[in-house]
Amino acid sequence: MSMKRRGLLAAGTAAPVLAAPMLANAQPQVLWRCTGSFPKSTDVLWGVQELFARRVAELTGGAFQIRNFAPGEIVPALQVLDAVGAGTVECGYTAAYYYIGKDPTLGFGTVMPFGMNARQQLAWLHHGGGREIMEEVYRDQGVIALPCSNTGAQMGGWLRKEIRTVADLKGLKFRIAGLAGGVLSKLGVIPQVLGAADIYPALERGVVDGAEWVGPHDDEKLGFHRVAPYYYYPGWWEACSQGEIQVNIKAWEALPKQYQQVIEVVTGEMQVWGTSRYDMLNMQALRRLVASGTQLRAYPREVLQACYQATQETYAEIGEKNPRFRKVHAHWDRFRRDTQGWFRVAEDSQANFLALAERG
């Protein structure tokens, strides 16, 4: 991350606000279209997309307008990268791991199984060389990617039946995104990739036996608790989930430099807004879900150990065929291990101390 961008983020919105009249007068009027992967019913995810467009307009005195489109209005939910890369739209709000079929390395832009939490992921992207090492991956798709909100830790999904052993995974039809689908297939799961709007009817009709989406707030809004009684944790495949604004390279390069800086500042603002809002809302929703009869279940240790082993095998197999994946994975994994040590020393010990103190 450049010193210029860090300075802009540190300064917040003060400088762009003061400069807005000058920008509006000196720069051309720009109108972009932004398509997204998340339906309007997911108020935080869709809210990020809406707020992003509004803040860009505000900080440019109305000269830079972005018109938002929900999934299906221009392209389906899982074709945002295609549309942005082809120039059908100038930008899109999505998650890179939806497109690992194009290049599995894209998964590192969002989250990887048994990976980093939201703070680690953001530290890797902005200060650990993550954005720099991923730049080539995105450019091959015709886009640049700007981190823009994170859901934080996610849950392990809704299931119509309990999972007690690894054998219970065999033949399970499970909606899941990213590389975790390939991991689970090693254990007999039949992974399904579905957009948010398609998950509930698939669960209701028994097309899938289970599904993961985000966390309590979004999952409650989509009604999964009405068709699947068991809510599992942890979401080992998504210790966080990094969203991003993807911008067509030619559209980005055609922007005035000041507008590029505004987008960088606003995506940083959205990172704080989205992540903190999920942290506030998820616990409230979880209480309501449990009170209404949702049964929380932890994945058994045996299952987690099998999933971890399958994950490491998957990383090794992909790396043998894809040198770029192997390079990015090594870089990411070193950073993950280094920062995990810090969390163990400082934050895990603090949490354990508080737990003991509260018990008296």
Side-chain angles (χ1 to χ4, degrees), residues 45-310:
L45 290 170
W46 175 254
V48 166
Q49 188 175 335
E50 283 193 314
L51 187 55
F52 166 71
R54 185 166 81 240
R55 293 294 289 145
V56 167
E58 289 172 351
L59 300 187
T60 59
F64 188 177
Q65 297 284 333
I66 299 175
R67 185 180 176 192
N68 278 316
F69 295 87
E73 292 180 345
I74 295 181
V75 295
L78 304 184
Q79 293 181 20
V80 173
L81 175 59
D82 307 76
V84 177
T88 303
V89 293
E90 290 80 12
C91 64
Y93 178 48
T94 188
Y97 73 169
Y98 290 148
Y99 313 100
I100 59 170
K102 297 175 178 294
D103 183 343
T105 318
L106 284 164
F108 292 102
T110 306
V111 68
M112 297 294 268
F114 293 99
M116 296 188 277
N117 66 26
R119 286 168 58 189
Q120 288 175 293
Q121 181 78 7
L122 197 60
W124 178 64
L125 288 170
H126 285 311
H127 301 286
R131 282 189 72 180
E132 290 80 2
I133 201 170
M134 288 293 291
E135 183 177 2
E136 177 187 345
V137 182
Y138 287 108
R139 281 195 168 271
D140 281 355
Q141 304 300 326
V143 306
I144 68 164
L146 298 100
C148 183
S149 88
N150 194 304
T151 67
Q154 296 199 5
M155 291 289 283
W158 297 85
L159 286 153
R160 297 163 65 95
K161 64 177 185 179
E162 289 189 82
I163 302 297
R164 294 188 176 90
T165 68
V166 176
D168 292 331
L169 297 175
K170 190 171 181 60
L172 185 79
K173 298 187 293 294
F174 193 67
R175 183 274 172 195
I176 190 165
L179 201 67
V183 172
L184 285 172
S185 67
K186 287 179 171 290
L187 303 175
V189 173
I190 304 169
Q192 309 287 317
V193 179
L194 300 170
D198 299 321
I199 300 173
Y200 181 94
L203 265 174
E204 185 179 38
R205 298 195 306 267
V207 174
V208 295
D209 304 307
E212 62 83 35
W213 173 236
V214 178
H217 177 69
D218 283 340
D219 293 0
E220 181 188 37
K221 280 188 168 293
L222 293 177
F224 301 149
H225 57 291
R226 295 195 291 268
V227 288
Y230 302 108
Y231 200 18
Y232 272 82
Y233 67 91
W236 51 265
W237 51 85
E238 287 187 270
C240 74
S241 186
Q242 182 63 54
E244 59 195 28
I245 293 291
Q246 296 177 352
V247 181
N248 177 271
I249 290 175
K250 292 181 180 178
W252 176 260
E253 292 174 347
L255 276 182
K257 179 61 70 174
Q258 295 97 323
Y259 286 11
Q260 293 178 355
Q261 292 172 337
V262 166
I263 289 179
E264 292 269 14
V265 168
V266 172
T267 51
E269 182 183 342
M270 295 305 96
Q271 188 79 33
V272 175
W273 185 88
T275 306
S276 59
R277 188 154 181 80
Y278 267 120
D279 281 341
M280 180 190 74
L281 294 173
N282 274 331
M283 192 63 241
Q284 298 171 8
L286 185 60
R287 290 194 186 102
R288 289 192 298 269
L289 288 167
V290 172
S292 68
T294 292
Q295 299 183 54
L296 284 179
R297 293 287 187 273
Y299 281 117
R301 181 181 294 270
E302 170 196 343
V303 171
L304 291 175
Q305 288 174 333
C307 291
Y308 181 82
Q309 183 60 39

